[in-house]
Amino acid sequence: MSEKQQWEAIANHSKFIELKRRKRNFLFSWWIISTIYYLLLPVISGYFPEAFRVKVIGPINFGYLFILSQFVMAIGVAIYYAHVANKTFDRLTKQLLEALQ
C-alpha cells in the first residue's frame, strides 16, 4: 500500500472522522465564545465607558477586573482543552491507531 493510500485509509476511517468532527466542534465553539468575550472589552469601553469608572476594591475598577478576567478565561480554556484532549481526543486517536494496525 502506497503512502497516499495509507493516508486515504486514515482519512476515510470512521474513528478519524469522529475525532475530526469532535475537535472541530469543540474548537469552533470555544473560538466563538472566546472571540465574543474578547470583543466585549472594546464594546463596553466604547458604548458604556461609565462601567469602567465603577470602583470595585479601592482604586481597582471594573475595567481592570474585566481585563484580568480575560487572562483567567484564556488559562481556563487552555486547561479545559487539555482535559478534553486527554480524555476524549487521545482516546479516539488510540482507538484509530489500534484499528489501523
Side-chain angles (χ1 to χ4, degrees), residues 21-97:
R21 179 186 56 80
R22 284 187 179 215
K23 282 183 96 170
R24 182 179 50 238
N25 291 343
F26 179 87
L27 293 173
F28 185 73
S29 62
W30 277 103
W31 174 72
I32 293 293
I33 292 167
S34 297
T35 301
I36 290 169
Y37 192 70
Y38 175 77
L39 291 175
L40 278 175
L41 178 63
V43 169
I44 292 172
S45 66
Y47 290 104
F48 307 102
E50 62 279 356
F52 288 91
R53 293 187 196 105
V54 174
K55 302 287 184 193
V56 179
I57 303 169
I60 300 172
N61 63 27
F62 170 76
Y64 288 129
L65 293 179
F66 188 77
I67 291 167
L68 288 174
S69 75
Q70 293 197 347
F71 288 101
V72 172
M73 181 176 176
I75 293 167
V77 169
I79 291 169
Y80 184 60
Y81 175 80
H83 170 74
V84 171
N86 290 331
K87 181 180 166 199
T88 305
F89 303 153
D90 288 353
R91 178 182 49 81
L92 290 170
T93 301
K94 183 179 178 184
Q95 290 173 356
L96 173 64
L97 291 173

